[in-house]
Structure formats: structure tokens, C-alpha cells
Amino acid sequence: MFFGSRVLIRVDGSAGKGLGHIYRMRQLGMGLRAAGITPAFVTLNDPYAVPLLEKTGLPCHVFDLGMESSCFTRAVEVEKPNLVINDILKTDDSWMDHVISTANVPVINFDDEGAGLNRASAVVNALIHSWGGYKREVVTAKLYEGVKFLILQE
């Protein structure tokens, strides 16, 4: 089982890019808390996204552009997660290397067409699988696809 008692959620959003990932992970974070699991967020400093995450009352580690790796490392030291969730759309090898080597726990990626498809423990692609941005036959992560994996807000 992937879930332990502490989950670190890496997510970004902004008014320009959109806040869908923020709302989804916010909902997931609150659901995890309701289930007795302690989540915390790591996010890029944005005047729209950060307050949405902070409203949950959950820990929120905020970084400025270019400081992602050091903030994530500090968040791992503070939160001591049993699981990391990435919801940043298209992960690259350097980010996955950092996450895996720093946290040394299972990693689940959401909406990933990048390196996470072969580096994460599991990938949840509720919608982007239909975009055709990757070939299922070469994916090595456990793959969950389709609308039944959407996280909807009440």
C-alpha cells in the first residue's frame, strides 16, 4: 500500500496557467486529512494559488522561482512523508531524480506525460491519456487512466 501517515503534495497553479491542479490537490489534501493522514503542500509562490492551499489549514511550503529543489528538500526534512504526490503536468528526469533521491518513498504523479511515466511508482491520468501524448506500451509506472480517477469537488 502506498499510503503512510504523511503525504507531501507538490502542486502548482496560477491565474495565468489555471488553478485546476490546485483545486484538485486541495480537495485530495482535505480528503486525506479526513481519513487520518497528514498531508502538506509544496507550491510555487503565486498570489492566487497559495491562499487557496493555505485556507485548508494544512502546512504549505512555498518557494520562489528557481528554489523548487531546496524548498522540496526542506519540506521532506520537516514533514517526513511516507508518500509524495506530484501534480505538475509534465515531470522531467531531473525533478524525478531529486524527488526519488530526497524523499526515498513511493511517488504518485497526476496528469503526467513526462519522466514520471517511467520513474514514479504510479501515474494517475484521468483526462490527459486521451490527448495521445504518450504510448501506454512503454510506460513502466502503474498507470491509472480514465474519468473514474477524477477528483471532484463537492
Side-chain angles (χ1 to χ4, degrees):
M1 180 186 233
F2 289 122
F3 291 107
S5 59
R6 304 181 74 77
V7 177
L8 192 57
I9 302 171
R10 171 70 182 87
V11 61
D12 286 339
S14 67
K17 286 183 174 179
L19 295 166
H21 294 266
I22 295 291
Y23 279 106
R24 172 176 49 197
M25 289 299 114
R26 183 176 185 261
Q27 190 70 16
L28 180 60
M30 292 186 303
L32 291 170
R33 178 176 55 196
I37 296 166
T38 305
F41 299 107
V42 177
T43 191
L44 178 64
N45 194 359
D46 177 81
Y48 297 97
V50 172
L52 288 171
L53 295 175
E54 288 177 337
K55 268 187 183 176
T56 65
L58 298 170
C60 190
H61 303 267
V62 180
F63 64 89
D64 290 319
L65 204 56
M67 301 302 293
E68 176 180 27
S69 293
S70 60
C71 181
F72 182 82
T73 299
R74 281 193 308 279
V76 167
E77 291 167 357
V78 170
E79 304 298 338
K80 298 176 180 32
N82 304 96
L83 174 73
V84 170
I85 295 174
N86 278 313
D87 192 356
I88 51 177
L89 196 56
K90 192 171 185 177
T91 56
D92 61 32
D93 280 316
S94 64
W95 177 248
M96 289 305 298
D97 286 344
H98 184 70
V99 169
I100 292 165
S101 65
T102 302
N104 197 29
V105 297
V107 178
I108 297 176
N109 286 11
F110 278 70
D111 281 352
D112 197 354
E113 292 181 308
L117 289 168
N118 293 311
R119 307 289 305 281
S121 305
V123 175
V124 180
N125 284 344
L127 294 176
I128 70 164
H129 72 284
S130 62
W131 301 351
Y134 61 90
K135 296 179 180 173
R136 284 181 198 89
E137 60 273 10
V138 298
V139 172
T140 58
K142 184 138 178 84
L143 192 57
Y144 298 90
E145 296 177 309
V147 295
K148 64 184 174 185
F149 297 107
L150 285 173
I151 297 172
L152 302 175
Q153 192 170 350
E154 291 183 45

